[in-house]
Amino acid sequence: MTAVAIGALLYEGKAKRVHATDQPDLVAVEYKDDATAFNALKKAQLTGKGALNCRISALLFEHLERCGIPTHYLGVRDSLWMMVRPVRVIPVEVVVRNIAAGSLCRQLPIAAGSRLQPALIDLYYKDDALGDPLLSEARLERLQLVSPEQLASIRALALQVNAVLGELFAGVGLELVDFKIELGFTTTGDLVVADEISPDSCRLWDRAISDSQERILDKDRFRQDLGGVVEAYGEVLKRVQGVCPEPRVYG
Ligand code: TMP
Ligand code: ASP
């Protein structure tokens, strides 16, 4: 395979940069060490976070792919780069919740830590300036972002991702409390999971620890000033790579 040349910056987000490449239908995503929370009110540089999230995301995307769930992922290059198919990302953050935590418990009288069965799906309009507001079905319909059929496919895909990742994490002693995914359409119109799946976008608890702070192995360590953020992400990587093959190298 000829080496892929990284091209112009197409988009810079809070945790990643997206670049064009010299090949059609291929973009390169660079994972940054920047950490943000509360719509970027809180910021830090966490050395090593980008590489950890890149690798964890690669392993999880490849696992989803093996389980028949389509994603934008093609492979990794070096420690910070992920090669992906270009996708028109739907500006909706799809959150799946298995255990009540975070904003759900701040907004509703639901006890933190209670199991949500069936899993709860919350949709948010992805717009930093508006603070990513929670969507109702009527609001989603009004925005005409997706058709009712596409919404049904999005929900089904999110639940499939939940089942597959929940099982993978349970197998390595981790509880998938909740997570956020973004979906999009490829140039051929296929709906795929895009963006990243990492401890930045998931809540993961160590199942062997009952202490409500010590068990946290995700970005809540940063949000709540608990320290040990990169070490926690490293622990997630260690466990996941213990049961997944090496991520494939692309270009
Ligand atoms: P929440 O409890 O703050 O609504 O978060 C639910 C899940 O979504 C949690 O796993 C963290 C993830 N998430 C993101 O990935 N990006 C975001 O901007 C927010 C607010 C949450
Ligand atoms: N990713 C969001 C932000 O930077 C919020 C969060 O993950 O808490 O602000």
Side-chain angles (χ1 to χ4, degrees), residues 93 95 97 101-103 124 178-180 200-203 223:
E93 299 195 341
V95 171
R97 302 177 189 274
S103 68
Y124 298 86
D178 59 27
F179 64 93
K180 181 266 302 181
D200 267 10
S201 60
C202 303
R203 284 196 173 90
R223 296 189 188 98

Side-chain angles (χ1 to χ4, degrees), residues 38-239:
F38 314 117
N39 204 7
L41 282 177
K42 178 171 178 161
K43 290 186 202 172
Q45 278 282 310
L46 299 175
T47 306
K49 182 184 80 91
L52 287 163
N53 278 354
C54 182
R55 202 163 177 87
I56 294 167
S57 283
L59 293 167
L60 297 178
F61 279 135
E62 284 193 27
H63 185 72
L64 290 178
E65 182 186 280
R66 279 193 298 277
C67 295
I69 297 175
T71 80
H72 68 158
Y73 173 85
L74 293 169
V76 286
R77 195 172 92 175
D78 305 321
S79 58
L80 295 177
W81 290 90
M82 181 176 284
M83 313 308 271
V84 305
R85 288 186 283 168
V87 159
R88 182 171 59 80
V89 175
I90 303 162
V92 172
E93 299 195 341
V94 180
V95 171
V96 182
R97 302 177 189 274
N98 297 303
I99 295 181
S103 68
L104 182 70
C105 304
R106 288 195 299 274
Q107 293 168 358
L108 293 177
I110 299 179
S114 48
R115 194 159 281 279
L116 303 163
Q117 208 137 33
L120 185 67
I121 300 182
D122 280 332
L123 306 176
Y124 298 86
Y125 182 49
K126 188 176 157 62
D127 186 317
D128 284 342
L130 297 175
D132 296 343
L134 180 67
L135 286 166
S136 62
E137 290 221 2
R139 286 182 179 195
L140 192 59
E141 210 172 292
R142 180 59 59 105
L143 289 174
Q144 293 193 311
L145 295 174
V146 287
S147 68
E149 295 74 28
Q150 288 169 338
L151 179 58
S153 303
I154 289 168
R155 285 182 183 280
L157 208 48
L159 290 177
Q160 267 181 282
V161 170
N162 188 41
V164 165
L165 293 187
E167 193 180 333
L168 177 79
F169 284 127
V172 294
L174 298 174
E175 190 74 50
L176 179 58
V177 174
D178 59 27
F179 64 93
K180 181 266 302 181
I181 50 172
E182 294 177 27
L183 299 108
F185 295 102
T186 62
T187 50
T188 48
D190 298 313
L191 181 68
V192 300
V193 181
D195 193 49
E196 70 178 285
I197 308 179
S198 74
D200 267 10
S201 60
C202 303
R203 284 196 173 90
L204 293 164
W205 293 348
D206 189 330
R207 292 176 121 193
I209 299 177
S210 55
D211 182 87
S212 63
Q213 292 190 332
E214 269 179 50
R215 67 186 175 192
I216 295 172
L217 292 175
D218 57 69
K219 196 177 172 183
D220 271 351
R221 297 205 73 82
F222 174 67
R223 296 189 188 98
Q224 298 176 29
D225 289 321
L226 299 176
V229 183
V230 172
E231 291 76 6
Y233 285 33
E235 179 63 24
V236 172
L237 174 61
K238 192 175 89 184
R239 295 196 195 189

Side-chain angles (χ1 to χ4, degrees), residues 4 19-28 74 83-86 250:
V4 174
H19 288 255
T21 71
D22 62 348
Q23 297 193 10
D25 238 21
L26 181 70
V27 293
L74 293 169
M83 313 308 271
V84 305
R85 288 186 283 168
Y250 191 102

